[in-house]
Amino acid sequence: MRNCITSVAGGPTAIGPYSLAVETSGRFLFVSGMTPMDPATGKMSDGPVAVQTRLVLENMRRVLGEAGASLADVVSCRVFLAQLTEKNFAEMNAVYKEFFTDGYPARTTVGAQLMNMAVEIECVVRLGDA
């Protein structure tokens, strides 16, 4: 059994054949890569890595809220940076630390060819017991 989230009120909407998040009967939530899309305009941010990372994590927080979870429930993240440089990593990391303050999830950061964005982040969330 699974529950697919494809849109969030006041938040992002899936723009392709994927779910924003999938909850499994095992009580895990698998969240698709969140992008720096402004939910108010539907447009991707073209700001610097720090601005895009903040928007990505705000979108993630909205999706998690829809599933009854929070960033504190995240157990693992994958961060994709279009330009994996020391500067971009440091900018992303500084914002990331603002959002994950009560213990950090496991994380992998990789350089990736991204379309029209500097950063994308996906996560796995452990949901409370039923």
Side-chain angles (χ1 to χ4, degrees):
M1 178 185 165
R2 63 186 194 156
N3 178 32
C4 298
I5 298 171
T6 57
S7 65
V8 176
T13 299
I15 57 172
Y18 63 89
S19 296
L20 295 173
V22 177
E23 178 183 354
T24 69
S25 59
R27 303 297 296 155
F28 283 92
L29 182 72
F30 298 86
V31 181
S32 291
M34 294 287 104
T35 63
M37 183 181 292
D38 183 339
T41 65
K43 295 183 180 180
M44 291 288 186
S45 169
D46 60 358
V49 171
V51 169
Q52 289 193 29
T53 301
R54 185 170 309 284
L55 191 48
V56 164
L57 292 170
E58 287 169 354
N59 284 337
M60 183 179 290
R61 185 174 11 220
R62 288 181 185 103
V63 171
L64 296 180
E66 184 76 9
S70 73
L71 291 170
D73 300 310
V74 174
V75 295
S76 178
C77 284
R78 273 192 214 118
V79 178
F80 303 94
L81 290 173
Q83 298 291 321
L84 186 54
T85 65
E86 193 172 324
K87 177 183 181 294
N88 286 346
F89 182 85
E91 284 185 32
M92 176 280 299
N93 215 37
V95 174
Y96 184 94
K97 285 194 283 190
E98 294 174 24
F99 283 79
F100 294 102
T101 58
D102 188 21
Y104 298 117
R107 185 178 87 186
T108 300
T109 303
V110 297
Q113 189 171 358
L114 300 175
M115 188 170 56
N116 302 324
M117 67 189 95
V119 63
E120 182 176 1
I121 303 174
E122 68 180 29
C123 70
V124 177
V125 178
R126 172 72 168 106
L127 298 174
D129 296 325

